[in-house]
């Protein structure tokens, strides 16, 4: 083990784990990319780091300036971690639907939190953050529309999957929120193998990938009320509309069967991946992204169920 000076060095190189007890016998192998291993337990640590470093490298962000973001509280936590470790102040515009747990995490990192009416997701927050970002001493980083989001997944997450498997999977499955994971990983996989099937997962009660009205999902990791420019809608082969009750059930099963405490979005990705695996059959490989851990859901009672002895 090596000593590290920087929190940012702990981001990425997350494990790829093959599920053992959750996949039907005749189905394809299912592997999960555990982004829970990042410092905040979220895939957005990668995104926050890249957006900040790109802004530093191109001169937009310099010492003494304040970083301004507009996003969900979970995503904001990744920016709060990185700005704290790099010595920047963070101003976060967050929908007022955020949980007390997530707000406490943000404030623990020293972020200034501005709660914005969240009925339409992050749209109001983005408007206010963009306005502040145009004032002196502030830099707005746009997690939904900055190409640095997809780029980090193309150059890290996707390549890590290929390296771990010794090649590309037959199918890749992920939920869609900011759009960067599907676009970046999808591009990396397709550069190696144009036949890789890509599946985008969304909340069936907050559909937006097919052009529907973008009502935000009640859960993080899905539709936040906008269709992000990060998302290449020509890339994926199919959209899987998933009931969040099934996602929650899979989340609990992953804890019992695999020893993995993950979030609802992770449960959704895995549930969809297992469904895909059953159509492909044995000797095929499916990779699903688990974007965040389940700590926030413990406080919400997701795992409070009694076991028969």
């Amino acid at each position: 083990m090596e000593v590290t000076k920087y929190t940012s060095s702990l981001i990425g190189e997350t494990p790829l784990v093959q599920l053992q007890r959750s996949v039907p016998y005749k189905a394809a192998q299912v592997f999960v990319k555990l982004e829970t291993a990042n410092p905040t337990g979220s895939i957005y640590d990668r995104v926050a780091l890249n957006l900040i470093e790109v802004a530093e490298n191109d001169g937009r962000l310099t010492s003494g300036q304040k970083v301004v973001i507009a996003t969900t509280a979970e995503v904001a936590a990744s920016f709060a971690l990185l700005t704290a470790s790099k010595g920047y102040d963070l101003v976060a515009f967050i929908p007022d639907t955020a949980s007390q747990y997530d707000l406490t995490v943000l404030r623990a990192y020293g972020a200034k939190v501005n709660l914005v009416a969240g009925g339409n997701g992050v749209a109001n927050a983005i408007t206010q953050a963009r306005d502040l970002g145009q004032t002196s001493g502030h830099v707005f980083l746009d997690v939904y529309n900055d190409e640095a989001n997809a780029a980090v997944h193309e150059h890290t997450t996707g390549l890590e999957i290929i390296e771990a498997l010794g090649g590309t999977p037959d199918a890749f499955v992920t939920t869609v929120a900011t759009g960067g994971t599907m676009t970046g990983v999808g591009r990396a996989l397709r550069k190696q193998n144009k036949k890789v099937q890509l599946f985008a997962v969304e909340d069936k009660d907050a559909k937006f990938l097919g052009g529907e009205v973008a009502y935000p999902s009640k859960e993080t990791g899905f539709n936040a009320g906008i269709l992000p420019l990060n998302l290449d809608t020509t890339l994926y082969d199919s959209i899987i509309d998933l009931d969040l009750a099934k996602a929650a059930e899979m989340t609990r099963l992953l804890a019992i069967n695999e020893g993995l405490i993950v979030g609802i979005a992770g449960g959704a990705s895995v549930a969809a991946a297992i469904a895909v695996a059953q159509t492909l059959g044995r000797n095929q490989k499916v990779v699903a992204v688990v974007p965040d851990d389940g700590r926030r859901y413990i406080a919400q009672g997701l795992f409070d169920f009694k076991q028969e002895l």
Side-chain angles (χ1 to χ4, degrees):
M1 180 177 293
E2 297 180 355
V3 173
T4 181
K5 294 183 178 180
Y6 306 104
T7 306
S8 59
S9 67
L10 304 176
I11 296 172
E13 295 294 337
T14 54
L16 189 68
V17 177
Q18 183 177 356
L19 298 183
Q20 300 297 315
R21 300 181 58 217
S22 304
V23 182
Y25 174 71
K26 293 185 178 181
Q29 302 170 70
V30 176
F31 301 82
V32 293
K33 184 65 167 162
L34 285 180
E35 293 301 298
T36 58
N38 287 307
T40 71
S42 170
I43 195 169
Y44 288 105
D45 290 2
R46 295 181 188 261
V47 176
L49 177 61
N50 203 42
L51 262 68
I52 290 170
E53 290 191 339
V54 168
E56 289 174 330
N57 292 337
D58 66 20
R60 284 179 293 144
L61 179 59
T62 58
S63 178
Q65 291 183 301
K66 295 182 179 180
V67 173
V68 182
I69 60 167
T71 184
T72 61
E74 177 202 356
V75 179
S78 295
F79 282 88
L81 167 78
L82 268 301
T83 51
S85 67
K86 284 176 168 284
Y88 298 110
D89 289 333
L90 177 69
V91 182
F93 289 84
I94 305 296
D96 59 7
T97 52
S99 71
Q100 189 58 50
Y101 173 91
D102 288 318
L103 294 176
T104 300
V105 169
L106 284 173
R107 289 166 177 147
Y109 284 125
K112 179 181 178 182
V113 178
N114 296 281
L115 294 178
V116 180
N120 65 344
V122 298
N124 289 336
I126 290 174
T127 298
Q128 294 187 34
R130 185 176 286 118
D131 288 345
L132 180 60
Q134 293 176 347
T135 64
S136 178
H138 297 84
V139 178
F140 173 55
L141 300 182
D142 190 348
V143 68
Y144 296 95
N145 302 307
D146 191 323
E147 63 182 14
N149 183 335
V152 73
H153 293 300
E154 181 175 355
H155 300 303
T156 66
T157 320
L159 297 184
E160 289 169 22
I161 291 170
I162 294 169
E163 181 181 6
L165 291 178
T168 60
D170 298 282
F172 173 73
V173 181
T174 186
T175 54
V176 176
T178 66
T181 305
M182 171 55 76
T183 300
V185 175
R187 287 173 178 169
L189 298 180
R190 286 274 174 83
K191 283 182 179 179
Q192 296 285 328
N193 180 1
K194 295 186 182 300
K195 294 183 179 180
V196 176
Q197 298 181 61
L198 305 177
F199 295 87
V201 182
E202 65 178 350
D203 175 0
K204 79 173 186 62
D205 293 322
K207 296 190 289 186
F208 72 126
L209 298 179
E212 300 88 345
V213 176
Y215 295 114
S217 173
K218 66 179 182 180
E219 292 290 351
T220 188
F222 299 92
N223 170 16
I226 63 170
L227 186 64
L229 295 180
N230 287 329
L231 181 64
D232 183 348
T233 58
T234 68
L235 198 60
Y236 44 85
D237 300 285
S238 182
I239 299 168
I240 298 176
D241 300 326
L242 199 74
D243 188 330
L244 290 189
K246 291 184 178 180
E249 179 183 5
M250 179 55 68
T251 301
R252 290 189 286 266
L253 288 174
L254 287 172
I256 295 171
N257 292 338
E258 308 289 346
L260 300 175
I261 300 291
V262 308
I264 295 290
S269 286
V270 173
I274 291 174
V276 170
Q278 289 177 287
T279 69
L280 294 180
R282 293 177 64 81
N283 301 320
Q284 304 288 296
K285 297 176 181 178
V286 181
V287 170
V289 170
V290 172
D292 67 337
D293 67 23
R295 286 176 290 184
R296 64 178 43 80
Y297 295 100
I298 293 174
Q300 296 174 18
L302 176 61
F303 300 99
D304 290 347
F305 55 98
K306 295 181 179 180
Q307 297 281 358
E308 294 292 335
L309 298 179

